[in-house]
Amino acid sequence: MFDVEITNRCNAECRFCPRSETPHEGLMSDRTFDKVLARILEFRELMEIRTGSSGHGVSFCGMGDVLVHPAAAQRVRMVRDAGIGCQLNTNGGNLDERTGMDLLDAGLQKISINAGAIGADYVEIYGIPFERTRDNIARFVEMAEDRCEVVVVLVDDHGNDARLDEVERFWRDLGVREFRLPDYNNRGGALERFGAENFLTPRHQARAHGLLQSDTEFPRCATPFVWLFISYDGRYNLCSSDWRKESSHGDVFTSSVADSFASRLQTVRERSSPCRTCSLDPTNQIAQLLHVDEPDAAEEQAVQLIKQWSAVTRRLDELKLGASGI
């Protein structure tokens, strides 16, 4: 899946997003988006030639709110006209009736709306009016019917299951049928209150490293190869957790998507920034579980991470983008 950031500006001030850590913000220009779409089509053709399939879609997400961009629906239409699946993420604050209809007419297939709170809790967490978002979501659900899948994302910012159950019931009463509870992460270390010191202790790192040893290559983070991130300025950033935009791997004007894989692989293998302090890094994931004294869960997760990385490396080899093909 291509994670295309048409903007990293946002209308909300979510306390779980380290917006102050982002060095620059902007809107993706028409010229840049045209080149992004051309690179995606180029990569799809490469996949078809080398693997016989081309399953990539486009997710408009990134580090801002997609609907801040005035051409969001137009960009969806361009992707769909190119024969590519398209979804987007939003907080719903700008999902007014006209925008919603434009997105549906453009062929949007799935929308994920981050609305993990209601009432005063919502205002405290997101920093935008709750009533507007509530009305926007309810209206879009009714408009979408079977044209577009609607998912409400329940961010567990409080660690309170009872509160999340209440929030889910609220949205179900308004017609929402699908929900997602994402794993909380520290945005590549940019969200400091997550507590990276918990998983960076030498003892936990060493134990995690031992659990991750396998007969194949030591597992690295699969995210940069599952979600191919393209920044609003056309750069191939490592992933959407790189809020500080420290890890750039070329740009759409000077290199292809495939060209970015060599440096992506080098970054995750070396665990250079932002990987070293990221809670999604496999070693850090296991070290975090060991820190909270969950050794059984750590062993189970290690097995899954080894399998996941093996699948990624097999796919890269099929594309001739593995270690031997770079």
Side-chain angles (χ1 to χ4, degrees), residues 209-220 282 286 299-314:
H209 197 274
L211 288 175
L212 289 166
Q213 292 291 346
S214 71
D215 295 333
T216 57
E217 182 184 357
F218 188 88
R220 306 300 183 182
I286 303 305
E299 290 185 15
E300 292 176 7
Q301 183 68 355
V303 171
Q304 293 305 312
L305 290 169
I306 290 168
K307 290 180 179 178
Q308 185 181 67
W309 183 246
S310 294
V312 168
T313 54
R314 283 196 303 272

Side-chain angles (χ1 to χ4, degrees), residues 160-222:
N160 185 330
D161 289 343
R163 182 187 67 82
L164 287 180
D165 289 344
E166 178 188 5
V167 172
E168 182 174 333
R169 285 195 298 272
F170 178 88
W171 293 121
R172 282 192 181 278
D173 288 343
L174 291 178
V176 178
R177 293 293 174 262
E178 296 188 50
F179 299 86
R180 180 166 62 89
L181 182 62
D183 292 331
Y184 197 58
N185 73 78
N186 72 345
R187 306 298 202 272
L191 195 61
E192 294 180 356
R193 67 186 179 87
F194 187 93
E197 67 276 5
N198 293 342
F199 55 68
L200 289 179
T201 59
R203 179 169 62 90
H204 291 137
Q205 288 277 305
R207 289 180 62 195
H209 197 274
L211 288 175
L212 289 166
Q213 292 291 346
S214 71
D215 295 333
T216 57
E217 182 184 357
F218 188 88
R220 306 300 183 182
C221 185

Side-chain angles (χ1 to χ4, degrees), residues 220-248:
R220 306 300 183 182
C221 185
T223 301
F225 309 99
V226 176
W227 294 90
L228 298 168
F229 187 87
I230 305 178
S231 180
Y232 79 91
D233 54 6
R235 293 185 179 276
Y236 300 118
N237 282 98
L238 184 67
C239 68
S240 62
S241 287
D242 184 14
W243 277 68
R244 295 178 175 130
K245 295 191 179 295
E246 299 172 296
S247 187
S248 178

